[in-house]
Amino acid sequence: MRRSVDGRGEGANGSLWWQDAVFYQIYVRSFADSDGDGIGDLEGVRSRLGYLELLGVDALWLTPFFRSPMADHGYDVADPRDVDPLFGDLAAFDALVAEAHARGIKVTIDVVPNHTSSEHAWFRAALAARPGSPERERYVFRDGRGPSGEHPPNNWVSAFGGPAWTRVPDGQWYLHLFAPEQPDLNFANPEVHADLERTLRFWLNRGVDGFRIDVAHGMAKPPGLPDMDPRADPSGMSSYFDPRFDNDGVHEIHQRIRKVLDEYPGTMAVGEVWVPDEERLARYLRPDELHLAFNFRLVLTHFDADAMRGTIERSLANAQPSTWTLSNHDVWRQVSRYGGGAQGVLRARAMALVELALPGVVYLYNGEELGLGNVELPPEAMADPRARTSGAAHSRDVARVPIPWEGGEPPFAFSTNAATWLPMPEDWAALTVEAQLEDTGSTLSLYRHALELRRDHPAFDGGEIEWYGAPAGCFAFRRAPGGLVCVLNTSASPVALPPGEVLLTSTELVEGRLPPDAAAWLV
Ligand code: GLC
């Protein structure tokens, strides 16, 4: 083993476990269902830990399993310090953590500080209280504009589409950057901070190794809540003036979170930070803030070697350590982004080798190791609140369909119940874990092999990369000092490989040459 990590999470050379870890995101609703209600749960995750150990991931990120009316599938939290009965109970969570740790797998969980559910006791109390009351001060309530306050306080739109304000019976409005069932908290209120710290400690004391912080760029709102530029993208990723996200005040919140984590050595936090450039991203990674922040650039870059190289260079130059990801539960699966079908799968396999060759941290999303693409769902099956406000074409459900484990037809042992919360496609029989496990050419075998090499092979040492000249539509880089060479071919013709021993290729070589839509590792 290249890495030896002691109990506190510190490696032999002083590195920390998360600095080059491969995390695996489990969308709990869709991973494994133990009780036959058609919805995944914590016991289901525990029952599949053997698979995750075999796959070779270092750590898990579990999406929200807290008490919730599920308007946004758990990102609307009614009690952040309890497990929703849909997913199990605290005992099931403790059992999952204990068994994961026994298998050498770290457990990190989502925390959702920006908003609560509208069913949270605080929000119910706020609705029952009068304008200006301490109960309302925990959220962002304002009077409206216009002679009788009939217009929202400003022009902000929700990230799911539609206005970011909802009016309550006494005429005031409350802010929700997401669904109306997700009122934004007011972080200028000390009670809100104290409650977040309590939540962090609650789970740290139960043994979690870290957190993924939801909407980590959204918690601070600027004084006066000025209008946004109406051309700004609802998701907050454009460079137009957009005071909804990435306000300077957010950094003080991260400093406070970091202080809590520093009391628990070996723990970490990764932020979901959608900002338009790497310089802004780097601000979240200052030594007293987040340990990691997702770099979503690979998700946003099309399958083109020059574009990918530009993305990688900019990222490595700015925000360290880089936290790479190709997909998650909010975006299209990479197979579909790259065009779908057999070509989409080839390209996704190639990009997996590129991503896993890079220095830094990698987050995988459950199902990508099986080469799953988006699933076409009938509009009536859509459950995502974004589909409601922005239309079925914007539904994230297409990338959230349950995982196929075994057998020849839905529900493929995800559940004993054929009525899974999203329908599973008939044509996934060849993509089940069972079908891929022993097939050396499968996408699952590619991921297993790649993860094993990345973990154990000395060629992956070092945080630097050097670029080589490469034919048009291709790139090649070398990791230093380890020496791993990674080649990507996005052109339409096969290309010769540089000299060296081939460690792994994303598809079979053709007469010793790397075909289009493929990547190779050499030493
Ligand atoms: C994050 C989550 C997303 C959720 C939103 C609101 O972007 O990843 O799934 O809808 O926050 O909590």
Side-chain angles (χ1 to χ4, degrees), residues 409-424:
E409 57 194 45
F412 299 112
F414 159 73
S415 172
T416 52
N417 187 338
T420 52
W421 78 276
L422 288 174
M424 301 177 71

PDB file of all heavy atoms in Angstrom, residues 409-424:
ATOM      1  N   GLU A 409     -34.338  -7.994 -14.850  1.00  0.00           N
ATOM      2  CA  GLU A 409     -35.400  -6.998 -15.068  1.00  0.00           C
ATOM      3  C   GLU A 409     -35.549  -6.086 -13.850  1.00  0.00           C
ATOM      4  O   GLU A 409     -35.112  -6.444 -12.745  1.00  0.00           O
ATOM      5  CB  GLU A 409     -36.720  -7.701 -15.381  1.00  0.00           C
ATOM      6  CG  GLU A 409     -37.165  -8.660 -14.319  1.00  0.00           C
ATOM      7  CD  GLU A 409     -38.275  -9.581 -14.819  1.00  0.00           C
ATOM      8  OE1 GLU A 409     -38.125 -10.099 -15.960  1.00  0.00           O
ATOM      9  OE2 GLU A 409     -39.248  -9.770 -14.092  1.00  0.00           O
ATOM     10  N   PRO A 410     -36.159  -4.917 -14.067  1.00  0.00           N
ATOM     11  CA  PRO A 410     -36.378  -4.014 -12.941  1.00  0.00           C
ATOM     12  C   PRO A 410     -37.144  -4.744 -11.829  1.00  0.00           C
ATOM     13  O   PRO A 410     -37.969  -5.584 -12.167  1.00  0.00           O
ATOM     14  CB  PRO A 410     -37.237  -2.885 -13.534  1.00  0.00           C
ATOM     15  CG  PRO A 410     -37.012  -2.951 -15.015  1.00  0.00           C
ATOM     16  CD  PRO A 410     -36.699  -4.387 -15.324  1.00  0.00           C
ATOM     17  N   PRO A 411     -36.899  -4.505 -10.576  1.00  0.00           N
ATOM     18  CA  PRO A 411     -36.007  -3.482 -10.015  1.00  0.00           C
ATOM     19  C   PRO A 411     -34.551  -3.930  -9.819  1.00  0.00           C
ATOM     20  O   PRO A 411     -33.831  -3.277  -9.068  1.00  0.00           O
ATOM     21  CB  PRO A 411     -36.670  -3.169  -8.677  1.00  0.00           C
ATOM     22  CG  PRO A 411     -37.305  -4.456  -8.256  1.00  0.00           C
ATOM     23  CD  PRO A 411     -37.706  -5.170  -9.519  1.00  0.00           C
ATOM     24  N   PHE A 412     -34.120  -4.966 -10.522  1.00  0.00           N
ATOM     25  CA  PHE A 412     -32.704  -5.344 -10.505  1.00  0.00           C
ATOM     26  C   PHE A 412     -32.106  -5.428  -9.092  1.00  0.00           C
ATOM     27  O   PHE A 412     -30.982  -4.966  -8.852  1.00  0.00           O
ATOM     28  CB  PHE A 412     -31.871  -4.368 -11.340  1.00  0.00           C
ATOM     29  CG  PHE A 412     -32.239  -4.310 -12.801  1.00  0.00           C
ATOM     30  CD1 PHE A 412     -32.829  -3.166 -13.341  1.00  0.00           C
ATOM     31  CD2 PHE A 412     -31.994  -5.391 -13.639  1.00  0.00           C
ATOM     32  CE1 PHE A 412     -33.163  -3.106 -14.692  1.00  0.00           C
ATOM     33  CE2 PHE A 412     -32.319  -5.337 -14.995  1.00  0.00           C
ATOM     34  CZ  PHE A 412     -32.913  -4.186 -15.522  1.00  0.00           C
ATOM     35  N   ALA A 413     -32.899  -5.969  -8.158  1.00  0.00           N
ATOM     36  CA  ALA A 413     -32.441  -6.168  -6.763  1.00  0.00           C
ATOM     37  C   ALA A 413     -32.091  -4.863  -6.049  1.00  0.00           C
ATOM     38  O   ALA A 413     -31.550  -4.886  -4.939  1.00  0.00           O
ATOM     39  CB  ALA A 413     -31.278  -7.153  -6.681  1.00  0.00           C
ATOM     40  N   PHE A 414     -32.436  -3.725  -6.652  1.00  0.00           N
ATOM     41  CA  PHE A 414     -32.342  -2.470  -5.875  1.00  0.00           C
ATOM     42  C   PHE A 414     -33.317  -2.553  -4.713  1.00  0.00           C
ATOM     43  O   PHE A 414     -33.055  -2.083  -3.602  1.00  0.00           O
ATOM     44  CB  PHE A 414     -32.672  -1.270  -6.776  1.00  0.00           C
ATOM     45  CG  PHE A 414     -33.098  -0.042  -5.992  1.00  0.00           C
ATOM     46  CD1 PHE A 414     -32.163   0.699  -5.280  1.00  0.00           C
ATOM     47  CD2 PHE A 414     -34.431   0.352  -5.944  1.00  0.00           C
ATOM     48  CE1 PHE A 414     -32.559   1.810  -4.526  1.00  0.00           C
ATOM     49  CE2 PHE A 414     -34.830   1.454  -5.203  1.00  0.00           C
ATOM     50  CZ  PHE A 414     -33.889   2.185  -4.494  1.00  0.00           C
ATOM     51  N   SER A 415     -34.467  -3.182  -5.002  1.00  0.00           N
ATOM     52  CA  SER A 415     -35.562  -3.273  -4.037  1.00  0.00           C
ATOM     53  C   SER A 415     -36.260  -4.600  -4.299  1.00  0.00           C
ATOM     54  O   SER A 415     -36.050  -5.226  -5.342  1.00  0.00           O
ATOM     55  CB  SER A 415     -36.521  -2.102  -4.291  1.00  0.00           C
ATOM     56  OG  SER A 415     -37.694  -2.228  -3.523  1.00  0.00           O
ATOM     57  N   THR A 416     -37.124  -4.993  -3.342  1.00  0.00           N
ATOM     58  CA  THR A 416     -37.986  -6.145  -3.632  1.00  0.00           C
ATOM     59  C   THR A 416     -39.282  -5.663  -4.268  1.00  0.00           C
ATOM     60  O   THR A 416     -40.115  -6.463  -4.679  1.00  0.00           O
ATOM     61  CB  THR A 416     -38.322  -6.903  -2.338  1.00  0.00           C
ATOM     62  OG1 THR A 416     -38.823  -5.945  -1.394  1.00  0.00           O
ATOM     63  CG2 THR A 416     -37.085  -7.591  -1.774  1.00  0.00           C
ATOM     64  N   ASN A 417     -39.436  -4.358  -4.310  1.00  0.00           N
ATOM     65  CA  ASN A 417     -40.671  -3.739  -4.765  1.00  0.00           C
ATOM     66  C   ASN A 417     -40.483  -3.221  -6.199  1.00  0.00           C
ATOM     67  O   ASN A 417     -39.585  -2.410  -6.452  1.00  0.00           O
ATOM     68  CB  ASN A 417     -40.977  -2.577  -3.813  1.00  0.00           C
ATOM     69  CG  ASN A 417     -42.314  -1.945  -4.054  1.00  0.00           C
ATOM     70  OD1 ASN A 417     -42.882  -2.062  -5.139  1.00  0.00           O
ATOM     71  ND2 ASN A 417     -42.821  -1.266  -3.045  1.00  0.00           N
ATOM     72  N   ALA A 418     -41.317  -3.675  -7.111  1.00  0.00           N
ATOM     73  CA  ALA A 418     -41.161  -3.252  -8.509  1.00  0.00           C
ATOM     74  C   ALA A 418     -41.502  -1.772  -8.683  1.00  0.00           C
ATOM     75  O   ALA A 418     -41.039  -1.129  -9.629  1.00  0.00           O
ATOM     76  CB  ALA A 418     -42.042  -4.101  -9.416  1.00  0.00           C
ATOM     77  N   ALA A 419     -42.292  -1.232  -7.754  1.00  0.00           N
ATOM     78  CA  ALA A 419     -42.681   0.181  -7.868  1.00  0.00           C
ATOM     79  C   ALA A 419     -41.596   1.050  -7.228  1.00  0.00           C
ATOM     80  O   ALA A 419     -41.781   1.629  -6.149  1.00  0.00           O
ATOM     81  CB  ALA A 419     -44.036   0.408  -7.214  1.00  0.00           C
ATOM     82  N   THR A 420     -40.440   1.119  -7.870  1.00  0.00           N
ATOM     83  CA  THR A 420     -39.354   1.958  -7.334  1.00  0.00           C
ATOM     84  C   THR A 420     -39.720   3.431  -7.496  1.00  0.00           C
ATOM     85  O   THR A 420     -40.510   3.784  -8.369  1.00  0.00           O
ATOM     86  CB  THR A 420     -38.037   1.646  -8.071  1.00  0.00           C
ATOM     87  OG1 THR A 420     -38.266   1.739  -9.489  1.00  0.00           O
ATOM     88  CG2 THR A 420     -37.557   0.252  -7.746  1.00  0.00           C
ATOM     89  N   TRP A 421     -39.131   4.297  -6.665  1.00  0.00           N
ATOM     90  CA  TRP A 421     -39.596   5.700  -6.617  1.00  0.00           C
ATOM     91  C   TRP A 421     -39.441   6.410  -7.951  1.00  0.00           C
ATOM     92  O   TRP A 421     -40.241   7.290  -8.273  1.00  0.00           O
ATOM     93  CB  TRP A 421     -38.952   6.460  -5.460  1.00  0.00           C
ATOM     94  CG  TRP A 421     -37.539   6.906  -5.680  1.00  0.00           C
ATOM     95  CD1 TRP A 421     -36.412   6.169  -5.494  1.00  0.00           C
ATOM     96  CD2 TRP A 421     -37.110   8.208  -6.105  1.00  0.00           C
ATOM     97  NE1 TRP A 421     -35.303   6.921  -5.788  1.00  0.00           N
ATOM     98  CE2 TRP A 421     -35.694   8.175  -6.159  1.00  0.00           C
ATOM     99  CE3 TRP A 421     -37.757   9.393  -6.447  1.00  0.00           C
ATOM    100  CZ2 TRP A 421     -34.934   9.273  -6.551  1.00  0.00           C
ATOM    101  CZ3 TRP A 421     -37.005  10.490  -6.829  1.00  0.00           C
ATOM    102  CH2 TRP A 421     -35.608  10.432  -6.886  1.00  0.00           C
ATOM    103  N   LEU A 422     -38.439   6.029  -8.733  1.00  0.00           N
ATOM    104  CA  LEU A 422     -38.396   6.406 -10.148  1.00  0.00           C
ATOM    105  C   LEU A 422     -38.333   5.090 -10.915  1.00  0.00           C
ATOM    106  O   LEU A 422     -37.641   4.155 -10.479  1.00  0.00           O
ATOM    107  CB  LEU A 422     -37.158   7.254 -10.472  1.00  0.00           C
ATOM    108  CG  LEU A 422     -37.130   8.688  -9.952  1.00  0.00           C
ATOM    109  CD1 LEU A 422     -35.769   9.333 -10.242  1.00  0.00           C
ATOM    110  CD2 LEU A 422     -38.247   9.534 -10.576  1.00  0.00           C
ATOM    111  N   PRO A 423     -39.027   4.982 -12.049  1.00  0.00           N
ATOM    112  CA  PRO A 423     -39.004   3.716 -12.777  1.00  0.00           C
ATOM    113  C   PRO A 423     -37.606   3.415 -13.329  1.00  0.00           C
ATOM    114  O   PRO A 423     -36.881   4.317 -13.732  1.00  0.00           O
ATOM    115  CB  PRO A 423     -40.008   3.948 -13.919  1.00  0.00           C
ATOM    116  CG  PRO A 423     -40.194   5.422 -14.020  1.00  0.00           C
ATOM    117  CD  PRO A 423     -39.863   6.017 -12.688  1.00  0.00           C
ATOM    118  N   MET A 424     -37.238   2.139 -13.305  1.00  0.00           N
ATOM    119  CA  MET A 424     -35.925   1.730 -13.817  1.00  0.00           C
ATOM    120  C   MET A 424     -36.102   1.146 -15.214  1.00  0.00           C
ATOM    121  O   MET A 424     -37.060   0.434 -15.474  1.00  0.00           O
ATOM    122  CB  MET A 424     -35.308   0.685 -12.882  1.00  0.00           C
ATOM    123  CG  MET A 424     -35.132   1.208 -11.464  1.00  0.00           C
ATOM    124  SD  MET A 424     -34.481  -0.052 -10.322  1.00  0.00           S
ATOM    125  CE  MET A 424     -32.797  -0.217 -10.898  1.00  0.00           C
TER     126      MET A 424
END
